[in-house]
Amino acid sequence: MTLYARVAVLSGSPLRGPFTYSVPESLELRRGHAVIVPWRSQYALGIILAIESDSDYENPRPVERILDAEPLLDARQLALAEWIAERYLAPIADCVALFLPPGTPRRPKRSASGFRPVIPKPRLAPVQLGRALDAERHARLIDEWPQSRRSRPAALLDALRDGPLDYADAARLFGGAANLARWLSRTTLAASDGEQVHLVVGEDEAGEAAAALRRTAAERRQLRLLRAVAAGEVDEADACRATGATRADVRLLERLGYLTRSSVPFAANVLVEAEPPPELTDAQGAAVEALRGSLFADDGSIHLLHGVTGSGKTEVYLAATADALAGGGGVIVLVPEIALAPQTVARFEARFPGQVAVQHSELKPADAREQWRQLRSGAKRILVGARSALFGPVQKLALVILDEEHEWTYKQTDPQPRYQARAVAQRMAQEWEVVTLLGSATPDLVSMADARAGHAGLLILPERIESGRAGPHALIPPPVVEVVDMREELEAGVRSVFSRALDAAISETLASNAQLILFLNRRGLSGLVCRNCGETVQCSRCAIALTLHRPGPLLRCHECGLREPPPTLCPSCGDARIRAMSFGSDRLVDEVRRRWGDVGITRWDRDSARRIGHAEILREFAEGRAQILIGTQMIAKGLDLPRVTLAGVVNADLSLREADYTAAERTFQLLTQVAGRAGRGGTGGRVIIQTYAPDHYAVAAAAAHDYDAFYETELRLRSALDYPPFGRLARLTVSRTSAAEAAAEADRVAALLQERRMRHERSATEIIGPAPAWPERRRGQHRRQILLRGSDPAELLREIDFPRGWSIDIDPVGSH
């Protein structure tokens, strides 16, 4: 009997469903196997979703071969992938790909033989170099090696000891006039009247030069490598990088008996000193007991840990992890930014040495694959990483932790599938019977509404704990928050970016040798605005303002990356009065230096992180090499910096003025999180918020550390408009090369949706738009959007096949 396989094919096709292939009698296929299948005129990797006895298609093409003998994915992973595809209307292949090892080919190839097994083999690295000979003989060989060959420069120097040479003779000895001309620039040789070559250094110096020139370029590389090993440099990659040696040089020296090579087991984690668990506060202990009960009951429950900034949420995570490991389970810990991964890895590695794996996009491909393999084999049981780490192959998974669960970065925006990690983790709790723990000082309104409705357990840590203190924890007060009305500063004649209060506070903090944070949620220097017509200088491909950046200065688009020099005249009206009208992080650095001189400053935004790296930026500031940390949203996310006593919010209105229903919530979260960085070390903290809207409920609630006040006000506003948590959203966006084409296509789909809505009598989904998307133009493409709002907005979309140029985002972050 012929069997048929439903296969999720990694082909890049936008079609959402699986494809059908026949199963050759020679293959024993099971659900989860990785296979090679023909795809058009090429071959592609696929994952078996089901084996069936019937097919809706006549004579489907056969599966080519199996890649790995054992199934790559298990039934739980495949079921979760299918749920993601259904909920987010994404191609099943893209959802299955979330669980595959890093580096798995996602596109077809010309030959079926071009695919290797997907499951990574164990890797031994790094290679260590050692001396094959005893130290005395090794040192003698370095001085003598090699003497067998003499280079032409050495022969020329020996000939010159007997007197000057004719230029033609010297060129002949050296292998040509061009070669000789290159060496004449060296101080050892000189040419006189173009006829003779003289030796113009003393006999001793000439002898040293002859010894140095005796070796070829390859021999000099190899000698540098030998000396590096003799000095203690044992890592092959580092030694080659420092000396310019190649792998061929290492292999040659190994064959000659000068070096030995040995491999050590791969480890991506930095070893840190193990630390015992501290004494927990009563609130922490109660939270841990509640989680322990859920872990031991295997009830698949969801818990929301609402702890004020500095309340010790990480200690609860660590204690819950210890319980999960004691029960034989594994743990996934998600952080909202790669920048937080090193800090979190260090905390977990110190408590659970050798058990922590890392997964995020900045790992080298080989390292990422080895980490994946160690998790799948059970060698490591804890996985720390960003959003995608949720799909790591942790064995016997018992606990999933989302730190700073409110962060929008847990939502995948592009490419497909556009999943929300928090929702996927909650689904894992329901279907996999794992405990999901969401932690935040400013929980997402949807998460808090679920908890207060009884759909999740609510654990509260109401008090701050002194950071970095040995022994029993000491409770500390929240930082003192001062809101400065910048309208009053303008009336008082203050034209600086710093209010009088913030200026004085910065001076006091610097004088006391403490550290401070300045938060401004804008990268770069600023935007350019014409003072005559009021227009901003916009990207020619995207409908957003360009931002000034160094070096240059130059204008850069934060959407498409376009760079161009700043104009001297306004592109709209031709007026010369075109000026920077708002601040970015670059210009804030300039203002600080202008006001306080050569003070140590660390800048942390996406641009600086791309150049230096998140870990190095954090290390520089944490080690006290700078007193001021200036940054964007990066610095508002879970950093533990005990020496920071002052946090200044330069402009609290940037996020508040966005045309988005989440603007108030994101402003409250940002202000509260930034405020929470100050005063964690027990010396007291102070926060100054500069704003033109001091009476806004989000600003007032953040200043008062009053989450409940903000929650109740925002919930009433959301209820009136059926925004989450009272309804769900879906956003459809179309991109076309002309505005007319985009508008026509958006109108066509909107009419189709209205027709389908009329046929679904019970559908309460509201269709809003079409309207311009934000940005209205991106990378030269004009964009329009349609917003759907209701209890299940995807119900109108499931049976529609959208052509290329459309994107579907279920549960988008915000409404624009």
Side-chain angles (χ1 to χ4, degrees), residues 12-64:
S13 170
L15 297 178
R16 296 203 287 264
F19 296 86
T20 300
Y21 291 85
S22 64
V23 180
E25 293 183 0
S26 60
L27 297 182
E28 295 184 6
L29 295 180
R30 301 200 304 275
R31 181 168 159 88
H33 262 133
V35 295
I36 301 303
V37 296
W39 177 262
R40 296 176 180 168
S41 61
Q42 297 179 304
Y43 293 88
L45 174 69
I47 303 297
I48 301 293
L49 299 179
I51 302 295
E52 300 172 339
S53 57
D54 295 319
S55 171
D56 295 333
Y57 305 94
E58 291 187 8
N59 301 320
R61 301 168 77 180
V63 172
E64 183 71 19

Side-chain angles (χ1 to χ4, degrees), residues 639-707:
L639 298 177
D640 187 12
L641 302 167
R643 292 183 58 197
V644 172
T645 61
L646 173 66
V649 180
V650 176
N651 189 343
D653 303 335
L654 289 177
S655 58
L656 193 61
R657 303 306 179 191
E658 294 178 355
D660 194 306
Y661 81 93
T662 64
E665 182 179 16
R666 293 178 69 173
T667 299
F668 171 78
Q669 290 167 344
L670 280 171
L671 296 181
T672 303
Q673 293 288 343
V674 172
R677 302 313 111 206
R680 298 167 73 101
T683 57
R686 184 181 179 189
V687 181
I688 296 178
I689 299 174
Q690 298 183 164
T691 177
Y692 290 92
D695 299 325
H696 193 281
Y697 65 94
V699 177
H705 308 288
D706 194 343
Y707 177 86

Side-chain angles (χ1 to χ4, degrees), residues 244-586:
T246 65
R247 291 182 179 179
D249 294 328
V250 175
R251 288 194 294 269
L252 172 64
L253 295 176
E254 187 180 13
R255 284 199 306 271
L256 294 175
Y258 298 148
L259 292 180
T260 59
R261 298 168 79 246
S262 61
S263 294
V264 296
F266 172 83
N269 300 332
V270 178
L271 297 179
V272 295
E273 184 178 355
E275 61 178 30
E279 181 180 331
L280 299 177
T281 66
D282 291 342
Q284 287 175 321
V288 171
E289 283 300 320
L291 293 169
R292 182 175 295 139
S294 295
L295 284 167
F296 291 164
D298 292 329
D299 60 3
S301 58
I302 302 168
H303 295 268
L304 175 62
L305 180 63
H306 180 198
V308 300
T309 54
S311 59
K313 292 185 288 295
T314 303
E315 283 302 332
V316 175
Y317 303 157
L318 291 165
T321 298
D323 288 335
L325 296 181
V331 180
I332 292 176
V333 184
L334 299 187
V335 293
E337 290 277 359
I338 294 174
L340 296 180
Q343 175 180 277
T344 305
V345 168
R347 295 290 301 273
F348 277 80
E349 184 69 28
R351 193 68 56 84
F352 311 105
Q355 288 294 310
V356 182
V358 187
Q359 182 175 320
H360 54 70
S361 59
E362 291 188 2
L363 283 180
K364 296 178 181 178
D367 294 350
R369 286 176 64 82
E370 176 62 16
Q371 295 283 282
W372 191 94
R373 189 203 63 80
Q374 290 186 2
L375 288 165
R376 194 174 194 269
S377 67
K380 292 188 176 181
R381 301 160 66 195
I382 303 171
L383 173 57
V384 176
R387 180 179 59 234
S388 61
L390 184 61
F391 308 101
V394 176
Q395 297 301 296
K396 298 180 181 178
L397 182 64
L399 176 64
V400 175
I401 300 171
L402 274 77
D403 190 26
E404 308 294 349
E405 64 87 29
H406 65 276
E407 288 289 351
W408 67 270
T409 48
Y410 283 123
K411 179 69 164 71
Q412 168 82 359
T413 53
D414 279 309
Q416 284 274 32
R418 299 180 178 90
Y419 65 91
Q420 165 57 261
R422 182 174 63 243
V424 176
Q426 291 169 333
R427 178 71 179 184
M428 293 168 71
Q430 298 167 4
E431 298 298 320
W432 293 17
E433 295 184 347
V434 304
V435 174
T436 293
L437 176 58
L438 313 175
S440 176
T442 55
D444 186 274
L445 255 72
V446 174
S447 299
M448 181 57 77
D450 284 345
R452 293 189 177 182
H455 303 311
L458 182 58
L459 312 174
I460 299 178
L461 304 180
E463 298 171 311
R464 294 186 110 204
I465 300 171
E466 182 178 344
S467 177
R469 186 178 188 271
H473 286 302
L475 301 181
I476 57 175
V480 177
V481 180
E482 178 182 353
V483 178
V484 176
D485 189 342
M486 294 303 287
R487 296 171 300 183
E488 296 179 357
E489 295 294 301
L490 288 175
E491 291 178 0
V494 177
R495 294 294 180 265
S496 170
V497 66
F498 305 109
S499 64
R500 291 165 293 183
L502 183 56
D503 185 288
I506 293 173
S507 297
E508 293 171 7
T509 304
L510 294 177
S512 65
N513 203 33
Q515 290 181 311
L516 64 101
I517 285 175
L518 294 177
F519 171 77
L520 178 65
N521 201 21
R522 183 190 294 273
R523 295 152 55 199
L525 290 163
S526 65
L528 290 182
V529 180
C530 176
R531 297 193 177 188
N532 179 52
C533 67
E535 292 293 324
T536 60
V537 179
Q538 294 198 332
C539 175
S540 59
R541 297 188 292 179
C542 308
I544 61 173
L546 295 171
T547 303
L548 272 173
H549 281 267
R550 288 197 184 92
L554 58 83
L555 290 168
R556 181 186 299 170
C557 175
H558 288 172
E559 273 296 325
C560 69
L562 175 73
R563 300 183 181 194
E564 60 184 44
T568 56
L569 301 177
C570 174
S572 297
C573 69
D575 195 274
R577 291 173 294 171
I578 184 168
R579 299 288 186 273
M581 295 295 287
S582 60
F583 271 72
S585 51
D586 273 3

Side-chain angles (χ1 to χ4, degrees), residues 608-624:
S608 59
R610 190 180 294 116
R611 295 193 309 270
I612 304 171
H614 297 292
E616 181 55 35
I617 292 174
L618 178 58
R619 187 181 302 113
E620 176 182 295
F621 189 69
E623 292 177 354

Side-chain angles (χ1 to χ4, degrees), residues 81 84 93-101 106 359 372 388 391-392 412 416-417 419:
I84 294 172
D94 292 336
C95 301
V96 166
L98 295 170
F99 297 91
L100 300 183
R106 306 290 180 91
Q359 182 175 320
W372 191 94
S388 61
F391 308 101
Q412 168 82 359
Q416 284 274 32
Y419 65 91

